[in-house]
Amino acid sequence: MSFKEKSFKSFNQKDTIQAWIYTPIRKPRGIVQLIHGFGEHSRRYLHMILRLNEAGFVVAADDHVGHGKTAYDSGNWGDWGDKGYMTMAEDEHTLRKIVQEEYPDLPYFIYGHSMGSMIARCYAAAYGKGIDGLILCGTSGVFPNAAELVPILKKQIDEGKGEETDLDSLNKLLGWMTERCENLITANDWICGDPDVVADHANDPFNNFKTPPNVRSLYYFVMMMDTIVGTQWAERVPTSIHVYNMAGDQDPVGQYGEGVYAVSNWLAETGHKVKTKVYPGKRHEIHNYRDIRDKVEDEMIDFMNSIIEK
């Protein structure tokens, strides 16, 4: 595996996005654009990236505004800027253009985990042309409390409080995530049932759950969630895109499977080819459970190969 570091101006015109393109040693047979989740960064997926490289896939990944090395360099943790809820999707579009300049004719896949899956769904509805496959991991249906927070946060922005923090709204959006976790040790136990993974997440300097998103960024997040629900979202996604939707059945983000199947049903109802896989007994980061991560990655690769080989 070799990699190149890339950087480019964010859609928000304030931040510089840090990105990487990982290239296999064999002749590439496809591209995977990897979109990471909330409060983390793209190098938490190195195990997956290496497996994808070994299977012949170029992997492109960035750290979002307010996240990872992008935020580490700028100091703008938890801040999306002021250009709207499409900011991260637009940055992903820039990254796609960069990698496709180097590899213009390869099949193109997008993998998004958690918030990354929401960005991927938003992106597929806006820029779906030319995408061969979409892999959603740990996605959500109608996210609890998101819609009702839209006017509350908008009012605060109108009052000039966009740069402030609203812990009450943040707790309403995310504070319930550990309700079904048995033997609770930390507030982040919903992430994974493997305590080592949870501890690694907490100790990673490029993760940041300690600095909450400001009011404006939280508003952009719930606005994005509001645009990717129902068949009205799914019908904007090209039916030529094959979709693989996977999650753990103990993942609160996916409403313990209910939200995962809701997304698959919206897609099926609008004529999409969608495959759904729910792993029993697993929480949010199915790709980081050491006992199943190889299987998770193998099934992703099998899904993409089935499209390429048609």
Side-chain angles (χ1 to χ4, degrees), residues 91 94 98 109 127 131 165 168 186-187 234 246 254 257 273 292:
D91 289 341
T94 300
I98 290 171
F109 300 90
Y127 296 112
I131 297 174
T165 300
D168 288 339
T186 78
M246 60 180 180
K273 293 180 180 178
I292 65 166

Side-chain angles (χ1 to χ4, degrees), residues 3-15:
F3 70 92
K4 300 176 183 177
E5 294 188 66
K6 301 285 185 177
S7 61
F8 56 89
K9 196 74 170 177
S10 170
F11 180 76
N12 71 15
Q13 296 301 305
K14 180 174 70 172
D15 293 291

